[in-house]
Amino acid sequence: MTDEVRAAMNELFAAERRLRGRDPHRAGDLSATQVRALFQLERGEACTAGELAKRADLSPASMTALLDQLEQSGIVERRRSEKDRRQVIVSLTDAGHEVLAAKRARIEERTREVLGVHNDEELDAAARVMRSLVELLDSLGK
């Protein structure tokens, strides 16, 4: 049974790597990395690029490039902090909130389609197993 869980975990990691590696198929569409960063920005609202990089688990250089693209698309805006003029604060624009809401709706719809075949007991068990795997992975790095 452990081998089956390990194999499924490797398949999940591979699917996640494929998702991260995919460029958007259509002009104006967001990459998985951009979506992850935007969800983190939405969750915590306005913050510095460095804070957002930490939340989204990206390097500061990657975050700067990502924000450049998102700002050009009108999805985020950067402005000087009123409290500390050395800091630049990133926030979602109204258009960014709309784009993110549409993306979230598509993700939630697809999630319901894929996970809807499982009952609550199966989903609860899957969540417990995934949390155990998180604990395993975190403990391997210590």
Side-chain angles (χ1 to χ4, degrees):
M1 185 59 103
T2 303
D3 288 342
E4 190 172 331
V5 170
R6 187 177 299 120
M9 185 173 71
N10 287 335
E11 291 170 26
L12 178 64
F13 290 160
E16 200 272 338
R17 281 191 305 274
R18 288 190 301 274
L19 178 62
R20 274 188 287 129
R22 269 186 218 127
D23 286 329
H25 297 294
R26 294 178 299 264
D29 204 3
L30 300 172
S31 71
T33 302
Q34 290 171 325
V35 170
R36 185 173 74 235
L38 290 172
F39 281 153
Q40 292 300 320
L41 181 59
E42 181 185 51
R43 174 182 294 170
E45 279 307 316
C47 65
T48 66
E51 290 169 11
L52 185 56
K54 286 179 189 173
R55 288 186 208 165
D57 197 27
L58 294 169
S59 72
S62 294
M63 182 55 67
T64 298
L66 184 143
L67 289 174
D68 287 345
Q69 296 167 350
L70 293 172
E71 189 174 37
Q72 287 176 342
S73 299
I75 293 173
V76 300
E77 64 182 2
R78 292 185 265 196
R79 59 181 165 63
R80 291 271 173 214
S81 169
E82 293 176 13
K83 294 178 183 175
D84 182 347
R85 303 291 296 160
R86 295 171 296 175
Q87 291 186 327
V88 175
I89 304 298
V90 181
S91 59
L92 284 170
T93 63
D94 289 342
H97 281 286
E98 290 175 20
V99 166
L100 203 51
K103 187 68 168 180
R104 177 178 281 108
R106 287 191 302 273
I107 291 169
E108 288 176 359
E109 178 182 346
R110 186 66 181 129
T111 300
R112 281 190 300 277
E113 289 172 7
V114 171
L115 297 181
V117 300
H118 300 284
N119 63 40
D120 288 345
E121 189 175 291
E122 290 172 317
L123 294 173
D124 287 343
R128 286 192 308 274
V129 169
M130 284 190 271
R131 288 188 179 104
S132 293
L133 293 172
V134 167
E135 182 181 336
L136 168 66
L137 293 174
D138 284 344
S139 72
L140 292 176
K142 294 179 180 176

